[in-house]
Amino acid sequence: MRHRSVADLMTPTAVTVQPGTPFKEIARLLDEYGITAVPVVDEANRPVGVVSEADLLRRHTAKDGPSTAEAMMSSPVVVARPSWTAVEAARVMERHRVKRLPVVDAGGQLIGVLSRSDLLQLFLRRDRAIQEEIVEDVVTRILGLSAASLHIDVAEGRVTLTGTLPRRSLAPIFVRLCEDVDGVVEVVDRLVYEDEAEAEEESEGAED
């Protein structure tokens, strides 16, 4: 089961500015490309900060000091690595209260930008793709179960599990693995279990 990485989701061609880029040029770039923030990079293409719409508005309101990217940017910059999972990136965004992360390689050079909207692409995965991943990876490869005894229905990212598992102890593992599949919004467990059915039959036989 392969989780989509930052490298899979990021925008590889990032709009950037230099520390000396002036206010009006930054505003023009944000408007032209429909973005809310832009990384500030040094001569080696390493991110040194980020200038956002909020930074521009603060400087316009204050009307004091130089209006260059270096003067307005938020620094130090919070970055992501291309090998991170989407979950790791989302946690960093939440922790630092940012909407986008510059993505850097091992040398610290900018190779892309990951935004919240990029992360949302995970939840636009087709239901059929989610279903196939659960059947092939979770049911068959990881749990080693027969897909014939189970039914996985996926609608708008909501997964409903029906059918029979060999034993109840497998249920929480099965559900958790399904929840970890990219694009899954919710998992509904409607499974039944062979071990409980056998125990019930034995109990009824003993009563007779």
Side-chain angles (χ1 to χ4, degrees), residues 55-119:
D55 294 322
L56 293 180
L57 290 172
R58 275 194 295 269
R59 182 47 57 102
H60 178 70
T61 302
K63 295 185 184 299
D64 62 342
S67 296
T68 62
E70 186 173 22
M72 295 182 291
M73 70 186 186
S74 300
S75 183
V77 62
V78 181
V79 300
R81 299 291 182 180
S83 59
W84 286 5
T85 65
V87 172
E88 288 175 300
R91 286 173 178 166
V92 170
M93 284 185 181
E94 179 66 23
R95 186 182 314 128
H96 294 277
R97 300 183 182 277
V98 295
K99 297 179 181 179
R100 53 203 296 123
L101 296 170
V103 183
V104 299
D105 61 17
Q109 293 184 313
L110 185 72
I111 58 173
V113 172
L114 182 77
S115 67
R116 285 181 179 176
S117 60
D118 294 326
L119 292 177

